Amino acid sequence: MNVYEIITERICQSIERAIKTGEPLPWQKPWVWANAPRNYLGSEYKGVNALLLEQGEYLTWTQICDLKKHNPEVKLKKGCKKDMVVYFNFRECEKEATNENGEKMITKKNIPYLRYYSVYHIKYVEGVESKVQEVKYEHKPIESAKRIFEGYTAAENIKVKHVKGGRACYSPVSDTITLPLMEQFERLEEYYGTAFHEMAHSTMSRVGRNAGGHFGDSEYSKEELVAEMSANMLLAHCGINTVLSEQNSIAYMRGWLKALKDNTAWLVSACGKAQKATEYILGTVKEKS
């Protein structure tokens, strides 16, 4: 049994067991972004708010007023701008309906509606110090993984950008891989797992795999399974996959498989496509060296 088969069997068995038992597998983002848009109390803004807001902490007017009670120097700077945070709320509505016996009845339904409130970036608030403590991890690159990543991207003329932030992605339009900084990862194998994941996405057009579809749909979910399984195969090839990184990877794949209604046939299909992507990447690096 080769290394690909060992990884495939172990991961498939773990995911299938989770499906049968209903075991929750929470995925955690493996990199730290201390300066993500967040409320002054510490919670990060999600969804569209993460796109609407710049990096750093935000305060509501109520929070500013509460802080001012303890420190009279707290105030908004002249010319400050306010930003908008949006969220969904629900309103209960009553609707008249007829049941199967022809009787009229009142049903209640929660209707979502969009709300918003204003927030102020901490840079516009005097007398308030940031609570964020930036974390940096020092790592020495793993040569086997570095050689694969840099060798493949150089051979294929793929652009690589390291950006301090919360995004890791591959853009087929510009043929660019964007990654967080290595220093944002507590565990170095998670950095390479993320790099290999995006690298696997870049093989789509190169090995004739279908495009990834739109976020959340079945084609997108299948492509995420392929990319994550390929990343595991590459980590195993380098001998740096760990129990923790593999468990997080399994949780990630379990989440996307749920979008495919727990159809494990797609997991098996993804494994075959992942091996093809992995062999293409390694073959390209081998030819270059």
Side-chain angles (χ1 to χ4, degrees):
M1 185 179 286
N2 64 34
V3 66
Y4 304 133
E5 291 170 338
I6 293 171
I7 289 293
T8 296
E9 182 179 44
R10 188 165 65 227
I11 289 177
C12 286
Q13 286 178 351
S14 296
I15 295 177
E16 287 170 355
R17 184 168 58 250
I19 291 172
K20 289 177 182 177
T21 62
E23 177 187 358
L25 298 175
W27 178 75
Q28 294 185 348
K29 188 170 61 176
W31 62 87
V32 176
W33 185 25
N35 211 26
R38 66 184 66 216
N39 184 270
Y40 188 65
L41 296 179
S43 58
E44 290 187 20
Y45 291 110
K46 305 293 185 182
V48 69
N49 292 314
L51 302 176
L52 292 173
L53 304 174
E54 63 179 280
Q55 298 179 17
E57 296 156 284
Y58 285 84
L59 295 91
T60 64
W61 176 248
T62 300
Q63 288 171 337
I64 294 172
C65 292
D66 287 342
L67 290 170
K68 190 174 180 65
K69 292 176 184 176
H70 304 284
N71 180 6
E73 294 184 4
V74 173
K75 63 179 180 180
L76 286 172
K77 295 179 180 178
K78 288 184 179 180
C80 72
K81 89 177 179 74
K82 59 184 177 181
D83 291 283
M84 183 173 67
V85 170
V86 298
Y87 67 99
F88 279 102
N89 208 337
F90 292 87
R91 180 173 59 246
E92 187 177 80
C93 295
E94 294 184 349
K95 185 178 180 181
E96 188 178 273
T98 304
N99 63 21
E100 55 186 16
N101 298 321
E103 300 170 335
K104 295 203 179 215
M105 55 185 294
I106 300 295
T107 60
K108 293 183 178 180
K109 187 176 181 181
N110 286 326
I111 306 295
Y113 63 98
L114 196 64
R115 298 293 302 270
Y116 73 91
Y117 59 91
S118 297
V119 291
Y120 301 86
H121 195 279
I122 193 170
K123 66 184 178 183
Y124 295 124
V125 186
E126 293 182 2
V128 177
E129 293 185 4
S130 172
K131 292 182 178 181
V132 173
Q133 293 186 343
E134 191 165 359
V135 179
K136 289 184 180 180
Y137 301 99
E138 292 186 10
H139 298 295
K140 184 179 179 181
I142 299 172
E143 288 303 319
S144 58
K146 179 182 177 183
R147 185 178 69 83
I148 290 172
F149 182 72
E150 293 184 355
Y152 169 73
T153 52
E156 296 292 304
N157 293 315
I158 297 171
K159 295 184 282 294
V160 178
K161 294 194 303 183
H162 284 86
V163 180
K164 183 178 178 181
R167 291 190 70 214
C169 62
Y170 167 70
S171 169
V173 176
S174 60
D175 205 17
T176 301
I177 291 173
T178 301
L179 295 169
L181 303 180
M182 185 182 287
E183 66 191 32
Q184 292 180 243
F185 292 79
E186 182 178 2
R187 296 188 295 272
L188 186 54
E189 68 272 12
E190 296 279 22
Y191 166 78
Y192 286 110
T194 302
F196 289 164
H197 178 106
E198 302 309 332
M199 198 164 67
H201 280 315
S202 75
T203 65
M204 272 190 295
S205 60
R206 290 172 167 89
V207 300
R209 203 164 63 245
N210 289 339
H214 300 286
F215 183 83
D217 67 13
S218 61
E219 292 305 313
Y220 191 101
S221 303
K222 294 171 192 174
E223 175 59 23
E224 288 303 310
L225 292 175
V226 172
E228 191 64 15
M229 184 62 78
S230 178
N232 276 273
M233 291 177 178
L234 289 165
L235 287 172
H237 179 85
C238 297
I240 60 173
N241 57 330
T242 65
V243 172
L244 286 175
S245 63
E246 187 172 289
Q247 285 176 344
N248 202 35
S249 182
I250 289 169
Y252 184 82
M253 285 186 276
R254 172 74 176 98
W256 287 110
L257 198 62
K258 284 183 73 67
L260 296 168
K261 299 183 175 21
D262 285 334
N263 186 342
T264 52
W266 285 117
L267 183 59
V268 176
S269 173
C271 292
K273 293 176 181 178
Q275 182 169 340
K276 186 176 180 180
T278 301
E279 290 173 344
Y280 178 84
I281 289 168
L282 295 176
T284 303
V285 175
K286 185 176 180 180
E287 288 173 10
K288 183 177 183 294
S289 58

